[in-house]
Amino acid sequence: MKKENKKEKKQKKTNITVYLILRFLVILCMVEQALKGNWHSVALCFLTLILFTLPTIASRTFKVNLPTTLEIIIYLFIFSAEILGEIQNFYGVFKHWDTMLHTLNGFLSAAIGFSLIDILNRREKFHIRMTPLFVALVAFCFSMTIGVLWEFFEFGADRYFNTDMQKDRIVNTVSSVELNKENKNDPVIINDINKTIIYSGDNKETVIQNGYLDIGINDTMKDLIVNFIGAIVFSVLGFLYIKDRDEYKFIERFLPVMKKFKEES
């Protein structure tokens, strides 16, 4: 018992240390951006500080215990997405930064969905007993739903606030029935596009070299695909965990647990 308490104290200390370091870095970033007059970035830093409080709020509101590993990953995820990704432009500098975060999001969302169902499934008061395969399937569907809702949010932000959350890509091939002069359902394919020219108000001319600008479709589909991969990975691990909880005990590092349930078990 003393060993467990010692371990829990050590994990809590690690958690607090990571939280304070990241919070300090965000505040430094906020001061830097304020001195540069980048008020949009200052707002993002402020938002990040608010998001850092979500694990604690969720833990108290829903009476759940978040494993140290999961909580630290959540802090790092928020920091990587908002501070490194948006303000430090890691999305532009590192080609696969966005892909990595969306894959991780798929994994973590599946973990949360899995824990919700697994908690109910293990309670004596809950009379329905779901098979491991069904629990894994629900976790997968939960993760994909979160992924789709996030893409809705990105689309809405781009459409109504002129952001570029659905990162545009330059592609050099077009395949579209819209270009078919006979209005047939037969796509016209244009390969090796060298450049496109956009004419806008006041005869302004914008030249896009090496292709045309794809408005977010490729990015959205790529995000959903990697979310799918992350969800599949955790769902498989969750399935194996239910079949043999001792063999795959490391999965518990990613699973929130109801406080009452933890006390009862």
Side-chain angles (χ1 to χ4, degrees):
M1 193 71 176
K2 287 183 179 179
K3 229 177 186 181
E4 284 184 8
N5 290 334
K6 194 174 181 181
K7 187 178 178 182
E8 284 182 7
K9 285 181 181 178
K10 188 178 179 181
Q11 288 177 342
K12 192 173 183 181
K13 187 178 179 181
T14 302
N15 191 11
I16 293 172
T17 301
V18 172
Y19 173 79
L20 291 176
I21 290 173
L22 292 178
R23 195 173 181 85
F24 175 72
L25 291 175
V26 173
I27 293 172
L28 278 183
C29 184
M30 182 186 286
V31 172
E32 178 194 10
Q33 296 304 315
L35 292 174
K36 291 180 178 178
N38 296 332
W39 302 112
H40 175 71
S41 296
V42 171
L44 278 178
C45 290
F46 184 70
L47 173 63
T48 302
L49 294 176
I50 294 174
L51 291 175
F52 277 169
T53 64
L54 289 183
T56 303
I57 293 173
S59 180
R60 291 176 179 174
T61 303
F62 301 107
K63 294 182 171 56
V64 295
N65 284 313
L66 298 179
T68 301
T69 301
L70 176 62
E71 198 163 349
I72 289 175
I73 289 176
I74 291 173
Y75 291 140
L76 291 173
F77 180 86
I78 294 169
F79 185 81
S80 299
E82 300 298 333
I83 305 302
L84 298 181
E86 294 290 346
I87 297 177
Q88 302 301 327
N89 193 31
F90 274 37
Y91 290 128
V93 175
F94 297 100
K95 187 178 179 181
H96 300 296
W97 190 258
D98 185 57
T99 300
M100 176 193 71
L101 292 179
H102 276 279
T103 307
L104 182 59
N105 178 70
F107 184 90
L108 294 179
S109 296
I112 294 170
F114 177 90
S115 63
L116 293 174
I117 300 302
D118 188 47
I119 288 170
L120 292 176
N121 208 29
R122 293 168 65 186
R123 282 181 178 275
E124 290 183 6
K125 294 180 181 178
F126 198 70
H127 300 297
I128 299 175
R129 285 289 174 264
M130 291 172 280
T131 64
L133 181 61
F134 187 80
V135 176
L137 180 62
V138 171
F140 169 77
C141 292
F142 181 86
S143 177
M144 290 306 299
T145 301
I146 296 298
V148 169
L149 290 175
W150 178 254
E151 294 305 316
F152 286 170
F153 173 76
E154 287 191 348
F155 172 78
D158 290 352
R159 180 72 179 273
Y160 299 108
F161 300 103
N162 294 320
T163 62
D164 188 22
M165 296 188 72
Q166 296 173 296
K167 300 297 185 235
D168 301 333
R169 296 287 184 267
I170 294 177
V171 296
N172 57 15
T173 299
V174 173
S175 176
S176 174
V177 296
E178 191 68 26
L179 299 176
N180 191 309
K181 293 180 180 179
E182 298 177 1
N183 292 324
K184 292 182 179 179
N185 191 29
D186 186 15
V188 173
I189 301 172
I190 303 176
N191 294 311
D192 303 320
I193 300 173
N194 294 317
K195 67 179 178 180
T196 51
I197 302 174
I198 300 173
Y199 297 99
S200 51
D202 298 326
N203 294 320
K204 185 178 179 182
E205 183 179 291
T206 303
V207 178
I208 301 171
Q209 299 292 345
N210 303 316
Y212 83 100
L213 199 61
D214 169 76
I215 311 297
I217 296 174
N218 283 290
D219 180 74
T220 296
M221 293 311 300
K222 181 265 297 175
D223 290 347
L224 290 175
I225 289 169
V226 296
N227 191 103
F228 173 88
I229 293 170
I232 283 287
V233 169
F234 187 89
S235 296
V236 170
L237 290 174
F239 173 81
L240 296 173
Y241 169 71
I242 295 178
K243 299 284 281 186
D244 191 341
R245 295 180 185 272
D246 292 327
E247 180 71 21
Y248 296 91
K249 196 173 180 65
F250 71 93
I251 295 297
E252 293 177 0
R253 297 178 184 178
F254 305 100
L255 299 178
V257 178
M258 295 293 291
K259 289 180 180 179
K260 282 186 178 180
F261 182 72
K262 187 175 181 181
E263 290 168 4
E264 288 170 6
S265 56

